[in-house]
Amino acid sequence: MEIHAFLRDAVVVLAASIAVLLVCTRFRIPSVVGFLLTGVLIGPSGLALVERSEQVELFAEIGVVFLLFSIGLEFSLERLRQIRRFFFTGGALQTSLTTVGVALLAFLAAQPLPRAVFLGFLAALSSTAIVLKLYADRRELDAPQGKIAIGVLLFQDFLIVPMIVLTPVLAGAVQASAAAVAGRFAVSLLAIALVFVVARYLMPRLLFVMVRTRVREVLVLGALLVCLGMAWLTESFQFSLALGAFIAGIIISESEYSHQVVAEVTPFRDVFNSLFFISIGMLLDARFALANAAAVVGLAAAILVVKSLAAGAAVALLGFPRRIVVITGFSLAQVGEFSFVLLKVGQTHNLVDPGLYQTFIAASILTMLATPGLMSLAPRLGVLSSRTGTSAAAGEMVSAAGAPRNHVVVVGLGTNGRNLSRVLRSAGISYVSVELNPEVVRQARAEGEPVLYGDATRREILESAGIAGAGVAVFAISDLAAVRLAIRYARELNPGVHIIVRTRLVGDIDDLLRRGADEVVAEEFETSIEIFTRVLRYYRVPRNVILAETRVLRGESYRMLRTPTLEAGSPEALMDILSAGTTDVFRLGPDAFAAGRTIGELDLRRRTGTTIIAVVRGERSITSPMPDLCLETGDDLVLMGSHAALDGAFDLLERGGAAESRSALE
């Protein structure tokens, strides 16, 4: 009977999830929101399709374990290094300001101090799953707001461990003296260190044994064993299951088998993460939420306001302009999935009563549901807020740059922007860079770069960069909304400027061209072109032919590559180039078959269909060489013929291989 009930609940959960996700996909609602709504719909307070709370608790526990395990797998030391300032400074500022702000409000609302601090902990965490999914959908993970959010969210994910450790202290389960707190941390660190050492030295050997079998099922089961085994081990030390899963993820992420483990665990992670969010929705008591709607809405609004202000203040202290402050502040305003993990710990230690427990769950779900709308609204509010500010940096740049003329304005000093600046400097072409990240600006100025700190979505910044007199403007940033606005201002300030835009995806090309860009460089297609260029070089296709081919493929904004089928006219241009005769150069090495032989002896024209039109020997160039000319080591032979003929000639000159007749080659 038990297995029948469990299977029934599982079928209901999966069927409802698919139905709700189809609706969410149709209206472009994030999947996490769909899972929450699914839980509310089928839970005990909804349609009551799943009534037994123990099943809900089981789903939530397993979901939390896999959630933290997946976070640990992604928490690499290299990733932390790249965003270390956003992680350490931004994350610490955001969590501290939020915790203090919410705790102060709770204390003023007559909550005991320990509970007020615990509520601050709960509110300080944001949703990694929701925010990163939305930024990925908006293609802004590499934009300033995306990088800041990743750093802050990773800091929050890591902070859940000390918060879990401190919760019993706040509840009075252990003595609250400084010595007791220090002792608690010492015991925690000792236990974590013991688990870490065991895992560090035993896990690689275990993984090696599993990988060596080359049996996929062994690795899948082994990954599950590592995740659940570490969770059980830390729980044996009276810590959370989630902590062990997190440690297991970190250790595996540093091993050479991490990518394969991630690939094998991802399906389980996605399934159980989905169940986790569904279980959160199922925990909501809809009747209680409706009966206490004012308190729920008030708490949700307070959390959104405090978190937006705290995150915005943290970003402002990092030195970013108002637009980024507003966008990032709104994106981190919701309550996170780890807050529910912490809430369960607090409930276990009686830090929250049933009423507050349900009120917080309902308010948290509201903040999550509001996040997509807030993130859509944030860019417009950010632009409006930035128009009211001034730019001291702009004035500094005007005097320093001296209003250059016919120069290049480079927006964004990421990898592409830096490479372009380096080439422009080497070529002696005047340029001015515009960058949002103050750390990058400081470093670039220390290196002598002409860089302006500012937001290119502001007319004043573009004016300060001398856009009115610029010959070319290059937008090498990942923020598509910012690029669209900056193109408009650049075109208004200088109708004749040549605008080049970099984009990741093909779907943006037509839109950016309509908005005023002259050229759009799509990374998707440029990667394809670079790959085929290298392949053709390997097969010795001449450079001028490769250049001609790339011109055809880049023509009309990659129209040929964007065409799903080969239309009439497009492939013919490429085929004409491929089949046309061309020239190439062959250098005779000391072991070349042709070295020491005359042109007449080789008889390339008859045997391969190619003609030697010149021989370059040292500083001397011999055009239309005679058949009796003896070729020497180090000679450069200039050959003319079709691609197939040149390939045969190269083979004969190098190895004396079987030469085919001209008719066969044609």
Side-chain angles (χ1 to χ4, degrees):
M1 189 66 183
E2 283 292 323
I3 188 64
H4 174 78
F6 176 80
L7 290 176
R8 175 190 171 279
D9 290 346
V11 169
V12 169
V13 169
L14 294 175
S17 300
I18 293 173
V20 174
L21 281 179
L22 289 175
V23 176
C24 290
T25 302
R26 174 67 178 83
F27 294 100
R28 296 185 178 180
I29 299 174
S31 58
V32 172
V33 175
F35 292 136
L36 289 169
L37 293 175
T38 300
V40 174
L41 179 66
I42 67 176
S45 63
L47 299 177
L49 298 178
V50 178
E51 298 181 352
R52 299 191 301 170
S53 60
E54 59 269 21
Q55 299 290 3
V56 177
E57 298 292 336
L58 178 62
F59 286 154
E61 288 289 343
I62 297 176
V64 169
V65 167
F66 276 91
L67 192 62
L68 270 164
F69 182 60
S70 63
I71 292 295
L73 285 171
E74 297 169 359
F75 194 90
S76 67
L77 298 178
E78 174 59 25
R79 187 177 184 185
L80 176 60
R81 188 192 66 79
Q82 294 175 353
I83 56 172
R84 57 188 180 278
R85 186 165 178 263
F86 303 147
F87 178 89
F88 290 108
T89 306
L93 285 171
Q94 184 272 335
T95 52
S96 299
L97 292 173
T98 304
T99 300
V100 171
V102 172
L104 181 60
L105 290 177
F107 185 72
L108 294 176
Q111 294 289 343
L113 183 59
R115 178 179 293 178
V117 173
F118 181 71
L119 291 174
F121 284 175
L122 294 176
L125 305 176
S126 303
S127 176
T128 302
I130 293 177
V131 175
L132 295 191
K133 177 67 166 60
L134 289 172
Y135 271 135
D137 291 344
R138 296 160 63 95
R139 302 192 293 278
E140 294 180 6
L141 285 176
D142 289 328
Q145 59 268 27
K147 292 180 179 178
I148 296 170
I150 290 173
V152 173
L153 290 167
L154 281 177
F155 183 87
Q156 293 176 358
D157 294 342
F158 188 77
L159 202 62
I160 185 65
V161 175
M163 284 182 173
I164 290 174
V165 171
L166 280 173
T167 298
V169 177
L170 292 174
V174 297
Q175 294 181 348
S177 65
V181 173
R184 174 69 175 168
F185 268 108
V187 173
S188 303
L189 292 175
L190 181 62
I192 293 173
L194 178 60
V195 173
F196 187 87
V197 168
V198 170
R200 179 72 174 177
Y201 290 100
L202 294 182
M203 197 174 296
R205 292 173 172 79
L206 176 62
L207 289 173
F208 176 74
V209 171
M210 292 187 296
V211 171
R212 190 172 58 180
T213 65
R214 298 186 180 182
V215 178
R216 181 176 178 272
E217 289 79 4
V218 172
L219 189 58
V220 173
L221 293 174
L224 294 177
L225 170 65
V226 169
C227 174
L228 299 177
M230 290 292 291
W232 169 78
L233 186 59
T234 52
E235 198 272 341
S236 301
F237 284 100
Q238 298 184 345
F239 292 100
S240 70
L241 294 167
L243 176 59
F246 181 68
I247 294 173
I250 290 179
I251 294 173
I252 292 178
S253 72
E254 297 299 321
S255 74
E256 60 267 38
Y257 312 116
S258 60
H259 298 294
Q260 186 63 35
V261 173
V262 170
E264 301 296 353
V265 170
T266 295
F268 297 95
R269 179 196 67 184
D270 294 342
V271 169
F272 284 106
N273 286 359
S274 304
L275 292 176
F276 170 71
F277 286 106
I278 293 172
S279 69
I280 295 303
M282 295 168 70
L283 293 175
L284 174 68
D285 187 337
R287 287 182 291 272
F288 177 90
L290 291 174
N292 298 273
V296 170
V297 173
L299 180 58
I303 291 173
L304 290 173
V305 170
V306 172
K307 293 199 69 174
S308 296
L309 293 175
V315 177
L317 290 173
L318 287 172
F320 285 86
R322 293 185 184 182
R323 184 177 68 88
I324 303 301
V325 167
V326 172
I327 293 174
T328 310
F330 275 35
S331 69
L332 297 174
Q334 75 292 127
V335 172
E337 50 270 9
F338 288 129
S339 297
F340 299 111
V341 177
L342 193 60
L343 182 64
K344 292 295 296 180
V345 178
Q347 184 188 43
T348 302
H349 291 88
N350 298 316
L351 266 176
V352 290
D353 54 49
L356 182 58
Y357 179 85
Q358 281 297 328
T359 302
F360 183 81
I361 287 180
S364 299
I365 292 175
L366 280 183
T367 65
M368 290 180 169
L369 294 175
T371 300
L374 290 176
M375 289 184 66
S376 297
L377 182 64
R380 282 171 282 180
L381 293 179
V383 171
L384 290 175
S385 67
S386 67
R387 289 175 180 172
T388 63
T390 59
S391 177
E396 174 189 341
M397 193 62 208
V398 169
S399 60
R405 303 291 297 179
N406 199 31
H407 61 297
V408 180
V409 175
V410 181
V411 178
L413 274 181
T415 301
N416 292 313
R418 281 188 173 275
N419 290 336
L420 175 59
S421 299
R422 187 179 301 112
V423 172
L424 292 174
R425 183 169 61 252
S426 300
I429 299 174
S430 177
Y431 67 95
V432 172
S433 301
V434 180
E435 173 57 44
L436 262 178
N437 190 328
E439 284 294 312
V440 174
V441 171
R442 187 178 300 113
Q443 180 181 354
R445 286 182 176 173
E447 297 171 356
E449 288 287 327
V451 59
L452 161 64
Y453 165 71
D455 190 344
T457 62
R458 295 188 58 185
R459 295 174 63 100
E460 299 90 339
I461 298 297
L462 291 175
E463 288 174 348
S464 298
I467 192 70
V472 178
V474 179
F475 295 94
I477 56 178
S478 301
D479 190 341
L480 185 60
V483 169
R484 289 168 176 163
L485 190 58
I487 289 175
R488 191 183 91 191
Y489 289 149
R491 190 59 73 195
E492 290 175 357
L493 293 169
N494 185 353
V497 67
H498 190 80
I499 297 178
I500 302 174
V501 180
R502 161 250 189 182
T503 183
R504 287 187 176 277
L505 300 180
V506 178
D508 301 330
I509 294 177
D510 290 333
D511 175 63
L512 292 170
L513 291 173
R514 282 195 302 269
R515 292 176 184 270
D518 293 292
E519 297 183 52
V520 180
V521 179
E523 292 185 3
E524 281 184 316
F525 285 154
E526 287 301 320
T527 301
S528 301
I529 291 174
E530 180 64 22
I531 290 172
F532 98 73
T533 298
R534 290 172 184 256
V535 171
L536 294 183
R537 284 177 185 165
Y538 177 83
Y539 285 103
R540 295 200 298 270
V541 175
R543 182 178 302 176
N544 63 319
V545 176
I546 296 175
L547 291 175
E549 291 166 358
T550 57
R551 281 197 298 271
V552 170
L553 294 177
R554 289 190 176 113
E556 301 181 33
S557 300
Y558 310 95
R559 184 174 67 87
M560 183 185 296
L561 292 177
R562 286 192 289 159
T563 304
T565 59
L566 292 177
E567 299 175 348
S570 295
E572 282 77 359
L574 184 58
M575 290 303 104
D576 288 344
I577 292 173
L578 288 171
S579 61
T582 186
T583 61
D584 203 351
V585 177
F586 180 88
R587 170 162 289 186
L588 289 180
D591 299 325
F593 172 79
R597 290 178 168 82
T598 66
I599 293 178
E601 289 173 346
L602 294 173
D603 198 11
L604 288 178
R605 182 178 298 177
R606 183 184 64 81
R607 299 170 68 184
T608 67
T610 60
T611 302
I612 300 177
I613 61 176
V615 176
V616 179
R617 181 172 294 168
E619 300 295 329
R620 180 185 172 201
S621 178
I622 306 171
T623 58
S624 301
M626 301 301 291
D628 60 353
L629 178 65
C630 185
L631 301 178
E632 300 176 358
T633 299
D635 284 349
D636 289 325
L637 310 184
V638 182
L639 308 174
M640 183 176 70
S642 67
H643 299 294
L646 287 170
D647 194 55
F650 271 54
D651 184 60
L652 187 147
L653 292 168
E654 181 67 35
R655 294 179 292 273
E660 302 179 25
S661 68
R662 182 174 184 174
S663 60
L665 290 170
E666 293 175 347

